[in-house]
Amino acid sequence: SATELVSVYATVQDRERRLVPDLRQEDFIVSDNGKEQPITFFSNEVSPFTVIILLDRSGSMVEHQPVVRDAASAFVRQMLPEDQARVGNFGNRIWFNPQEFSSNRQELLSVLRAPAGSAGASPVWLSLDQSLNLLSGLEGRRVVLMLTDGHDAPARNHMRTSFKDVSERVKRAGVMIYAIGFASMEVRGGRPRLEPPDD
């Protein structure tokens, strides 16, 4: 028989949504299909992460680009020295900068200040799938932070990737996905209408 070691990361809040930082191993129970599993290693230290900050540069997000840039920049400024990041962008094409994961905040902020370009298509699931490729094989906490309206509309030349396929892959990979959803403004019948982020 074989034993598989699985990393489980947790953030605990009290009823007032304040962080609870001083928990011990005996405060946790981990179960799998109702069967309690042993906790082999426990730490309540802050652990560094490797993150892809994935930005939606599609046509439906044009009005939000200043907020997206400012939010991503604020996130980079709050990173700890051991944290690493790359910035992903998607629209008519999908690209990632810098070439390697970096802890250099100034380098990452410079990437975010560069003209975004793109617009048009919105390959949400394909860009998430490519982000998983870049995080594959890395150790520690791996995260994708997406800023998007969530409307998947790939271009004709994009590979088709479904939410179901990406969702299953995320579960197998153990990558944490955080999405910040933006509403988009559409004009229908000459009247503007606010479209909520796609569920």
Side-chain angles (χ1 to χ4, degrees):
S1 66
T3 301
E4 184 179 358
L5 188 65
V6 178
S7 296
V8 178
Y9 298 97
T11 301
V12 181
Q13 298 175 325
D14 65 15
R15 286 193 176 97
E16 282 74 45
R17 300 183 64 84
R18 293 176 300 209
L19 290 178
V20 182
D22 54 352
L23 296 171
R24 299 161 300 164
Q25 180 171 331
E26 50 268 25
D27 296 319
F28 290 86
I29 295 174
V30 177
S31 62
D32 181 22
N33 290 324
K35 183 179 177 187
E36 188 172 330
Q37 300 295 320
I39 299 174
T40 307
F41 173 78
F42 178 85
S43 172
N44 66 355
E45 300 294 316
V46 174
S47 56
F49 58 74
T50 302
V51 62
I52 291 180
I53 306 166
L54 192 56
L55 310 179
D56 189 337
R57 305 295 195 175
S58 66
S60 61
M61 286 286 291
V62 168
E63 65 184 305
H64 299 300
Q65 291 311 309
V67 174
V68 167
R69 182 196 61 236
D70 292 349
S73 298
F75 179 85
V76 166
R77 289 189 194 96
Q78 293 297 317
M79 287 171 50
L80 298 177
E82 298 82 20
D83 298 331
Q84 298 186 86
R86 287 180 77 180
V87 178
N89 302 272
F90 64 93
N92 285 331
R93 62 190 185 97
I94 302 169
W95 72 103
F96 298 87
N97 284 315
Q99 290 302 310
E100 301 292 332
F101 285 98
S102 174
S103 295
N104 185 327
R105 293 185 197 177
Q106 291 311 312
E107 180 182 24
L108 295 166
L109 291 171
S110 176
V111 167
L112 290 167
R113 283 192 296 266
S118 201
S122 182
V124 175
W125 308 132
L126 178 59
S127 63
L128 182 53
D129 191 60
Q130 290 189 11
S131 298
L132 294 175
N133 290 342
L134 296 174
L135 292 166
S136 176
L138 300 180
E139 297 295 321
R141 281 200 300 167
R142 295 163 301 147
V143 180
V144 177
L145 171 63
M146 298 181 72
L147 290 87
T148 178
D149 59 17
H151 296 286
D152 183 58
R156 288 182 184 173
N157 62 330
H158 288 146
M159 287 176 37
R160 292 296 181 260
T161 307
S162 71
F163 170 76
K164 181 180 178 184
D165 289 343
V166 174
S167 178
E168 287 301 318
R169 187 171 179 210
V170 166
K171 289 175 190 172
R172 289 193 308 271
V175 174
M176 292 173 266
I177 311 294
Y178 295 93
I180 299 175
F182 287 79
S184 58
M185 190 68 73
E186 294 186 1
V187 178
R188 294 185 181 174
R191 306 178 91 177
R193 177 179 169 185
L194 200 64
E195 283 289 318
D198 190 284
D199 289 342

